[in-house]
Amino acid sequence: MAQIAAHAQSVTFVTLYPAPELCYNPNIDSTNPLPAAKTPACLPAPAYEQQDAVFATAFEIVRLAIADRTFPAASVAITHKGSLVGLKAFGRFTYEPNSPETSADSIFDLASLTKVIATTSMAMILYERGLLDLDLPVVAAVGEFAGEDPRRDAVTLRMLLAHSSGLPAYEKLFLRVKTRDELLSAAFATPLTANPGARTEYSDIGFIILEVALERIVEESLDRFSQHEIFGPLAMTQTAFNPPSAWRASIPPTANDQSFRNRVIQGEVQDENASVMGGVAPHAGLFASAGDLAIFAHVMLSGGRPILRPETVALFTRRESSPAGTSRALGWDTPSSPSHSGKYFSSNSFGHLGYTGTSLWIDPDRQLSITLLTNRTWPDCSNQAIKQLRPKFHDAVVESLGGT
């Protein structure tokens, strides 16, 4: 997305999925319809001519991280008060000197940002349409989740979104299954490790089960729904699950996988469970450019229009009151102490991280969003230095804008 202005003037939608049928119950009326909005209104105004001077300190932090081999490639987008004030790429796809240079059009494996950009947005849209009852027991929507443990009957869809279901954080299901259906069956049968609602434990398993519930509500897959309800309306033309082969040259590799798939992972999802699910998964699998995430963040800062209402955005991005001490909202996270968002993001902020080295943080009080996309898992996931890089980078951006 080298020139977002040109992007706005010539929106060309990539036909990744067939035209959708009506995907919700036409008998359920939306009592407060959104005002008509033209797609270009979703785009933040380009205003990054002075970015190298304004964000000199922040950009140098990224360059030094590349020199220290924290990650080989990075792409940054910053929106502030309705404008795109930063759009910058750094490094090369890998550490090899002849590797392709990263550009503002480079497309990254978002990993767990998939949870908020696609899956949580799908839940928000269904909630607005009166189709999603957040306090519905999971077993009512996904009967396969029932089991001998009576606690499973108390798990709700809200708990899955808020990561308080009692399900474990992660299971290497890919080691014992070969197909999507087998992986789903294994996820349904995963035992609880805590009482529902008693504690917060970030859980990929919970989101895998959530996806099944959402897809059954609309009788449509996550990728199709996301394309025509989120990415299409917002002109996010560089965002997709299972990106087409023509995009591969624009996608930095994420891993040299010699233990499971035995190949370099480029243009396909890095997460192994998502790979078994065919690349379309609620917890990982989405690819996007930093510029496209800037569009999404701008929409969230604008109250969600034209795809959502401000009240829905506020509900899903507000920190949950329980379990005690949680930093989680519905799908989203909020700043904790310490936080990857740094020390300046307000208590009303919300964001999320991705395992491959991606992050998006949004502050309604400052009218600020910061997208940082990297491939820190190249060639493997051993380097954890991004944990120190993220807050340092975010603080430098806020300070560059005169914030304290």
Side-chain angles (χ1 to χ4, degrees):
M1 195 174 197
Q3 295 292 334
I4 198 167
H7 183 108
Q9 292 168 1
S10 59
V11 175
T12 303
F13 294 97
V14 180
T15 305
L16 298 175
Y17 310 101
E21 302 295 331
L22 187 67
C23 65
Y24 59 95
N25 187 340
N27 296 320
I28 297 178
D29 296 325
S30 179
T31 56
N32 296 303
L34 288 167
K38 296 181 179 180
T39 297
C42 306
L43 301 174
Y48 49 87
E49 297 84 358
Q50 304 300 318
Q51 63 175 337
D52 288 329
V54 174
F55 300 113
T57 300
F59 289 172
E60 184 63 14
I61 288 171
V62 178
R63 291 190 185 95
L64 289 174
I66 291 173
D68 290 340
R69 300 175 76 91
T70 300
F71 43 74
S75 188
V76 170
I78 304 164
T79 70
H80 187 229
K81 297 181 178 178
S83 296
L84 182 71
V85 296
L87 184 64
K88 187 80 170 178
F90 304 86
R92 296 179 179 274
F93 282 17
T94 71
Y95 296 113
E96 299 301 319
N98 61 347
S99 179
E101 290 188 6
T102 315
S103 76
D105 288 308
S106 294
I107 296 167
F108 286 75
D109 179 343
L110 299 185
S112 284
L113 286 186
T114 304
K115 291 183 175 76
V116 290
I117 307 301
T119 313
T120 299
S121 294
M122 182 178 183
M124 295 165 84
I125 291 169
L126 297 185
Y127 174 81
E128 279 198 355
R129 293 177 180 170
L131 296 170
L132 178 64
D133 178 357
L134 292 172
D135 296 312
L136 183 75
V138 173
V139 294
V142 184
E144 300 94 322
F145 183 69
E148 295 182 1
D149 185 345
R151 297 178 300 171
R152 300 176 80 84
D153 295 341
V155 178
T156 65
L157 298 180
R158 181 190 297 272
M159 291 175 184
L160 296 182
L161 280 161
H163 298 285
S164 60
S165 65
L167 286 163
Y170 175 71
E171 294 285 332
K172 294 183 177 181
L173 303 179
F174 65 91
L175 294 178
R176 47 193 173 95
V177 301
K178 294 183 178 180
T179 68
R180 177 185 177 89
D181 286 345
E182 290 174 352
L183 190 141
L184 290 178
S185 295
F188 297 150
T190 300
L192 300 184
T193 56
N195 290 330
R199 75 179 188 201
T200 300
E201 184 170 12
Y202 179 74
S203 176
D204 281 0
I205 305 299
F207 257 68
I208 290 171
I209 295 167
L210 174 66
E211 178 198 26
V212 175
L214 299 178
E215 290 184 340
R216 288 180 180 178
I217 288 172
V218 294
E219 298 181 348
E220 185 172 35
S221 65
L222 173 65
D223 56 337
R224 283 174 52 99
F225 183 94
S226 297
Q227 181 64 28
H228 67 75
E229 297 287 354
I230 306 166
F231 313 148
L234 300 189
M236 295 171 65
T237 59
Q238 293 175 308
T239 302
F241 289 94
N242 284 329
S245 58
W247 291 16
R248 189 175 188 273
S250 299
I251 302 174
T254 50
N256 185 2
D257 182 358
Q258 297 303 314
S259 61
F260 178 56
R261 286 164 284 188
N262 297 306
R263 59 178 177 266
V264 169
I265 305 304
Q266 181 179 18
E268 61 176 306
V269 64
Q270 180 271 340
D271 181 273
E272 294 92 344
N273 285 337
S275 178
V276 172
M277 294 179 72
V280 179
H283 65 287
L286 196 61
F287 287 72
S289 65
D292 269 15
L293 292 196
I295 295 172
F296 182 87
H298 174 70
V299 166
M300 296 296 283
L301 285 168
S302 302
R305 290 185 173 88
I307 63 170
L308 292 163
R309 296 183 183 82
E311 296 82 2
T312 305
V313 173
L315 173 65
F316 276 72
T317 59
R318 183 173 60 240
R319 180 179 291 191
E320 288 285 279
S321 58
S322 64
T326 186
S327 68
R328 295 286 165 180
L330 296 179
W332 293 89
D333 199 6
T334 66
S336 53
S337 184
S339 173
H340 283 261
S341 65
K343 60 187 178 183
Y344 296 123
F345 272 68
S346 73
S347 60
N348 292 320
S349 301
F350 52 96
H352 212 280
L353 310 178
Y355 183 76
T356 50
T358 60
S359 61
L360 171 62
W361 281 97
I362 301 171
D363 188 342
D365 292 358
R366 295 182 182 275
Q367 282 293 293
L368 170 69
S369 77
I370 304 176
T371 299
L372 174 62
L373 305 182
T374 79
N375 58 339
R376 73 100 196 163
T377 51
W378 177 264
D380 57 51
C381 60
S382 60
N383 193 326
Q384 302 290 321
I386 197 167
K387 293 180 180 179
Q388 290 74 46
L389 177 281
R390 283 180 176 132
K392 188 177 179 181
F393 174 72
H394 291 135
D395 287 349
V397 169
V398 175
E399 290 166 359
S400 297
L401 294 170
T404 55

